[in-house]
Amino acid sequence: MEKDITEEFIKTAKKDIPELKDVFSKIKVVAQDQFVVVRVLGQNTLSKLKESEEDITKVISNIVPNPSVLFSLVENNSPRAKVFTKKRQSYTFTNFIVSDTNRTAFNAMRDVSEEPTGQPIVIFGPPSVGKTHLLKALQYKVKKDGKHSIILLNMKKIVNDIFYHIQNKTFEQYYKDLTSYDYLLIDDLQKAGEMTTSGKGIDKIDSFLFDIYEDFFEKDGKQLVFTCDRSPMALPFSDRVRSRLFSGFAYQIEPPDEKLKRVYIEKVLLKYEPLTIPDSIKETIIENSVNFRQIEELVRFAIEKYADTGDDEYVINLVTMAAKTKRKKHALLTPNDVIEGVCKLMGVEKKDVVTKKTIRDKRVLRAVYIITYILVKELQISQAKVAAILKKKSPMTVNRHLKKAEALRIDDMDFLVELNEITSTILG
């Protein structure tokens, strides 16, 4: 299967061949096994690249061992030249595609863009369904109106900043600066749990989120907005933080439905005009895609293949295979992948989960129930093997964990949400 390695190539080439920086926008680098094709827009660009062929091959060899490199010319006036055109993506409420899967979240964000409410908002849903688009649309609208100050940060950056400022004894000023904004938008809240699995680390982030929430809650002219990839109740924070996150306004965005996928495909295709694909390929993309990012990937893939071959049946098969490969990645998961993934998402230590000792910590036990459920029910691993993996005395212990997990799925809504979100994240 052909793999686009353009971004990886450019990242290294910027350092190793800086004299080519002006032509990076005019190349596409794709690899299949050890064969690498450098597609080049325009004869002048190709001539310039040929002068640095040896250096280019060295850069590619850092990505593909022992590559066999071929340069391919794409004429400026050919239909395929459109593949090299990148239009800057703008994120506004106007170009956000509204449907039943996201209407409530969209309306809430558009309304709060007019004036802060003092009521924190959480937008949650799986990756690539439009959460960050809404945050950026809110930021764009507030900045355009000019009445309020606003900042948008990713939680990963916040975590790094927190520990940096604590270490340098400047945290108090950092916190003061953050809370001085009228709007504080925090994207990918779940990354806090993924980055801080140790007790002290997660406690610091937990306290930070609690204080931020309290500082913005019910204050005139203030607005706090989070996005995350799962329900706030499934995040690995303390009960006081999770309950606050859920006590404001929480809006879920569902994966795009068939109608929304169809509209989005047409929107993506506008970037590649006059290139297009037949309806039969569009329907295949609709059938096999799960989110906006995958739709974009499959449309780009289909455009290139159809421009090359003009064979819709051939491209339909390729698109189907590409989508299935993505979906089946979880089949390559090892039990250790699952254990480490659950521990990271729930903020517990692996050594506390994989142990012969009796587990008394409720959060750790919850993690064991979820791990057991995924290994047995999703990956179809025998209870005897799971017992050995988790260092339990016998398969009967695993059986008890499994029964407990199944009972909690029925009786405990919080557990059900957490189980579904974690399972989706790890297998997705």
Side-chain angles (χ1 to χ4, degrees):
M1 188 70 66
E2 196 176 85
K3 180 184 178 184
D4 189 331
I5 59 171
T6 307
E7 287 187 13
E8 294 173 82
F9 171 80
I10 291 175
K11 186 177 180 181
T12 305
K14 279 182 177 178
K15 295 181 291 185
D16 295 352
I17 327 174
E19 63 270 20
L20 296 181
K21 64 180 181 179
D22 294 335
V23 300
F24 287 148
S25 62
K26 298 180 180 179
I27 63 172
K28 294 283 183 183
V29 188
V30 296
Q32 186 166 2
D33 298 325
Q34 80 274 22
F35 298 101
V36 178
V37 179
V38 181
R39 293 174 182 152
V40 186
L41 183 63
Q43 182 61 56
N44 291 339
T45 306
L46 179 59
S47 299
K48 187 171 182 178
L49 289 175
K50 280 286 189 177
E51 294 173 4
S52 304
E53 185 171 354
E54 187 176 335
D55 292 330
I56 291 171
T57 302
K58 283 182 181 178
V59 171
I60 292 172
S61 65
N62 293 324
I63 307 168
V64 179
N66 302 314
S68 177
V69 180
L70 173 69
F71 289 83
S72 175
L73 173 64
V74 178
E75 297 288 357
N76 284 289
N77 58 355
S78 70
R80 193 167 189 176
K82 282 287 179 179
V83 176
F84 291 83
T85 304
K86 284 190 175 180
K87 294 182 180 178
R88 186 177 179 275
Q89 174 69 56
S90 60
Y91 297 94
T92 66
F93 291 122
T94 304
N95 64 18
F96 185 86
I97 305 173
V98 183
S99 78
D100 292 340
T101 63
N102 56 33
R103 192 181 310 280
T104 307
F106 171 80
N107 288 338
M109 295 290 271
R110 186 181 56 184
D111 290 347
V112 84
S113 71
E114 300 295 334
E115 200 68 35
T117 66
Q119 289 287 336
I121 293 174
V122 180
I123 306 292
F124 68 97
S128 301
V129 293
K131 303 185 298 295
T132 302
H133 186 141
L134 284 178
L135 277 191
K136 290 184 175 181
L138 174 59
Q139 182 186 37
Y140 175 83
K141 177 70 164 54
V142 171
K143 280 187 172 182
K144 185 178 179 182
D145 290 346
K147 296 187 297 182
H148 300 282
S149 59
I150 186 169
I151 187 170
L152 166 59
L153 296 169
N154 188 280
M155 192 65 207
K156 183 176 181 180
K157 174 174 171 50
I158 290 177
V159 171
N160 289 330
D161 287 348
I162 286 172
F163 289 110
Y164 171 82
H165 287 289
I166 288 175
Q167 185 177 358
N168 288 276
K169 299 181 180 180
T170 53
F171 177 76
E172 191 174 325
Q173 184 60 48
Y174 168 73
Y175 185 85
K176 185 178 179 181
D177 290 343
L178 274 189
T179 53
S180 68
Y181 287 92
D182 301 323
Y183 286 78
L184 174 57
L185 316 182
I186 299 179
D187 200 14
D188 289 333
L189 181 60
Q190 75 282 350
K191 289 189 181 296
E194 296 171 9
M195 296 174 67
T196 53
T197 55
S198 65
K200 288 184 179 179
I202 198 68
D203 285 349
K204 284 185 173 65
I205 303 303
D206 199 271
S207 296
F208 168 82
L209 291 172
F210 179 82
D211 292 341
I212 281 284
Y213 192 97
E214 293 296 301
D215 279 335
F216 277 80
F217 182 58
E218 286 191 345
K219 288 190 177 178
D220 292 339
K222 288 285 191 178
Q223 186 63 56
L224 183 61
V225 184
F226 298 100
T227 69
C228 56
D229 66 1
R230 68 205 70 159
S231 164
M233 295 307 292
L235 293 168
F237 303 128
S238 66
D239 288 342
R240 67 174 188 164
V241 170
R242 289 192 293 163
S243 63
R244 277 165 175 73
L245 290 172
F246 212 73
S247 66
F249 291 103
Y251 302 100
Q252 184 173 12
I253 298 182
E254 301 282 355
D257 55 18
E258 185 178 309
K259 180 180 178 182
L260 186 51
K261 287 180 184 180
R262 191 166 277 111
V263 174
Y264 194 71
I265 286 173
E266 297 303 327
K267 179 182 176 182
V268 174
L269 283 170
L270 289 175
K271 296 192 295 185
Y272 299 103
E273 288 181 334
L275 297 181
T276 189
I277 49 178
D279 289 343
S280 56
I281 298 178
K282 295 177 188 176
E283 293 303 316
T284 301
I285 293 173
I286 289 169
E287 184 180 342
N288 288 279
S289 57
V290 295
N291 58 43
F292 294 130
R293 184 175 298 151
Q294 191 180 23
I295 290 172
E296 289 197 32
E297 291 173 354
L298 292 177
V299 168
R300 183 176 66 245
F301 181 68
I303 282 278
E304 281 205 11
K305 296 304 178 185
Y306 192 70
D308 273 344
T309 66
D311 186 337
D312 53 343
E313 287 299 323
Y314 173 70
V315 176
I316 284 171
N317 289 334
L318 287 180
V319 167
T320 304
M321 287 172 60
K324 283 183 178 178
T325 300
K326 191 97 171 177
R327 288 200 303 269
K328 288 184 177 180
K329 274 186 178 178
H330 74 268
L332 303 176
L333 284 173
T334 66
N336 190 57
D337 292 332
V338 173
I339 294 168
E340 290 185 350
V342 172
C343 289
K344 185 175 286 188
L345 290 170
M346 295 186 67
V348 301
E349 296 280 0
K350 180 182 174 181
K351 64 180 178 60
D352 295 331
V353 168
V354 182
T355 178
K356 294 178 181 179
K357 297 178 182 178
T358 301
I359 299 173
R360 303 193 185 282
D361 185 285
K362 291 182 179 179
R363 188 69 179 163
V364 176
L365 267 177
R366 204 173 177 97
V368 172
Y369 298 152
I370 290 175
I371 289 168
T372 302
Y373 186 90
I374 294 174
L375 293 179
V376 176
K377 292 293 187 178
E378 299 291 344
L379 299 191
Q380 302 294 305
I381 298 174
S382 71
Q383 293 182 25
K385 192 168 183 179
V386 172
I389 292 166
L390 296 178
K391 296 185 178 178
K392 305 307 174 190
K393 291 181 180 179
S394 75
M396 290 302 297
T397 305
V398 171
N399 185 261
R400 287 197 297 272
H401 290 333
L402 186 61
K403 286 184 177 179
K404 183 66 175 178
E406 290 175 330
L408 286 171
R409 286 178 70 242
I410 299 171
D411 300 331
D412 187 336
M413 181 56 70
D414 288 348
F415 180 84
L416 176 62
V417 169
E418 190 166 39
L419 173 66
N420 288 345
E421 295 289 350
I422 289 175
T423 302
S424 175
T425 299
I426 290 176
L427 302 187

